[in-house]
Amino acid sequence: MICTLTKKISILVVSGLLIAVIGLVMYCTFPMFMDSEIKKRLVLKEGSQTYKYWKDVPVPIYIHFYFFNITNREEIWDLTNKPVLEELGPYTFREAREKINITWNENGTVSYKQIRRWYYQPDRTNGSLDDIVTTLNVPMVAAATRGKQMNEDMVFFALDEIFSQLNCSWFVQKTVRELLFEGYEDKLMKIAKTFMNLPYDKFGWFYKRNDTDDGEITSFTGATDIQEVDEIDTWNGVQSVTAFEPPCNMINGSAGDMWPPTKSHRDYVTLFVTDICRSLSFSYLATTDVKGIRAYRYWADDKQLDNGKYNPENKCFCPEGICLPAGGLNVSSCKFDAPAVVSYPHFLFADSIYSQGVIGMKPNPQEHRMYLDIVPEMGVPLGVAARMQINIVFEAIPNITQFENITNRIYFPILWFSETAVAGDDIISQLNLVLNTVPLITNVISFFMVSVGGFLILSAFVLAILFALGKINDQPKTLSCLSLTGDKKVSSGKESEPSYTAVSSGK
């Protein structure tokens, strides 16, 4: 078959265009295809890879506890100096989470309870669980505060007598293990249980919390709308809490396992925290790198615990319209009416009135702020640092002898904790494959195809120019046959090699 130069040029142009267009289409459509596939795989459904990681969180989570040890209790008792505090710790525990009683609902939600277990990590601890901490006598202060709220002479008289008979002091000395999970017996609590419905027989900040859940959570699976994946629908069957006024009482945000994909700098990330009965909103802070994976860092900013002074929408976080100074959240109605106030560690971003009451606060944004590192394409958290401080309101109560001479209200720091998690290498490798390797290979193939297509078109263009300039012609030469010419020659007794002459057809 005779192939003319014109046909060759046509074939090169058509082939080049086809290959280049395929490469260009692959480059343009792959991100949309990838985004669609990611969204499909993020939907929570039994048996999926997402479900596997959601049910039993594979990310290593550590919670670090720091206690504030009182170093001058005699001076405080004598009202001659502010409390001088020293930070002890961290006392570190590994946290394991497991979802149980999983029920799939017809409206695109799933109900479950999440069991949390803590395991002591001595190699990550500075000190030991037997360290002695001098701290505020919380049962005594809580009882006195409750008496102030009741405002009845008989109650004041009873508390005064009980405190005197038991020789109660403002301070106690207990081990870290007692203050955390083991709890310690308190005579005041024993008396109170005889006429009050107290939930515990001992006092400890995490007493009876190990191997328990925080209630039933119902969240959306993303099957009907991926932008609602892991968004909480109800907590213990309700969509609002009683601790705060509307609209601050609404249960909004994620349960903390994942967020909707395709996040941007303008988006807020919302998390519902059962321990404080409210949602926290995180705003974009910076783009960061977590083991080679690009992530957006969202943080709970300096106005998140505002009382309405800077953000009027936060006014409803003031119980009965009584607001604390900015930077502290009253969680008494969430925690059995205990006079508890939550802040960032060391009163970071809080009104100066908080730190003025004590000596020893050293706020540092790098160590004390709360943030989430989230993969924007998938809504998956790669790094988490949840940090909160527990403080107790310590103030004068004129009708109780032991509290009547206190001069100033003090927001007494007790402890702060940092719950941190960073994705393991197995998750990082999978994310790296999906987010980096596969797109890179696709782009390389796309650019290669476009380059090959461009080369073929360029070759056709060069041939066309050469033909137009007369450098080449369009008449192909074909070989029709070979003829053998010349006889075998003998030289020195040897035969010479035969020679062949091509005979042009038609001549």
Side-chain angles (χ1 to χ4, degrees), residues 29-218:
T29 60
F30 179 77
M32 293 183 290
F33 170 78
M34 198 68 176
D35 181 65
S36 176
E37 286 299 308
I38 287 175
K39 289 179 179 178
K40 288 180 183 178
R41 296 176 185 275
L42 286 177
V43 175
L44 284 174
K45 57 182 179 180
E46 198 166 6
S48 68
Q49 188 77 359
T50 302
Y51 171 79
K52 174 186 174 183
Y53 289 143
W54 173 82
K55 182 179 182 296
D56 300 299
V57 180
V59 178
I61 304 172
Y62 294 95
I63 184 167
H64 315 270
F65 295 99
Y66 299 81
F67 279 90
F68 291 108
N69 182 53
I70 301 169
T71 63
N72 63 333
R73 56 178 181 172
E74 291 80 10
E75 291 180 337
I76 303 171
W77 183 262
D78 295 335
L79 303 175
T80 59
N81 197 4
K82 298 178 182 179
V84 178
L85 309 175
E86 66 171 347
E87 184 179 279
L88 303 181
Y91 304 94
T92 305
F93 292 76
R94 169 75 183 268
E95 181 177 315
R97 299 182 179 184
E98 178 191 4
K99 293 178 176 64
I100 63 171
N101 300 340
I102 300 173
T103 304
W104 303 94
N105 306 311
E106 295 181 357
N107 64 343
T109 62
V110 58
S111 301
Y112 62 91
K113 291 184 177 181
Q114 182 167 256
I115 300 293
R116 293 196 291 177
R117 303 179 180 92
W118 289 279
Y119 304 93
Y120 179 53
Q121 306 289 299
D123 58 318
R124 294 173 177 261
T125 294
N126 180 23
S128 78
L129 296 183
D130 293 316
D131 290 348
I132 301 295
V133 181
T134 302
T135 185
L136 203 62
N137 187 345
V138 176
M140 178 187 183
V141 176
T145 302
R146 182 58 178 161
K148 180 181 179 180
Q149 294 170 347
M150 297 174 68
N151 196 25
E152 296 180 5
D153 291 339
M154 185 62 69
V155 173
F156 289 135
F157 175 78
L159 288 173
D160 203 313
E161 286 296 315
I162 291 172
F163 292 160
S164 298
Q165 291 295 324
L166 297 179
N167 196 26
C168 291
S169 171
W170 290 341
F171 312 109
V172 294
Q173 289 184 308
K174 301 295 178 182
T175 63
V176 172
R177 67 174 71 250
E178 289 176 314
L179 292 170
L180 284 176
F181 293 100
E182 291 187 6
Y184 62 90
E185 293 185 352
D186 185 85
K187 295 180 180 179
L188 187 60
M189 290 186 66
K190 285 186 176 181
I191 295 174
K193 279 185 69 68
T194 61
F195 58 90
M196 293 177 64
N197 185 25
L198 292 180
Y200 304 116
D201 58 340
K202 292 182 179 181
F203 178 79
W205 290 106
F206 285 78
Y207 178 59
K208 287 191 175 181
R209 288 284 303 277
N210 211 340
D211 203 21
T212 63
D213 63 86
D214 292 323
E216 184 183 65
I217 293 175
T218 299

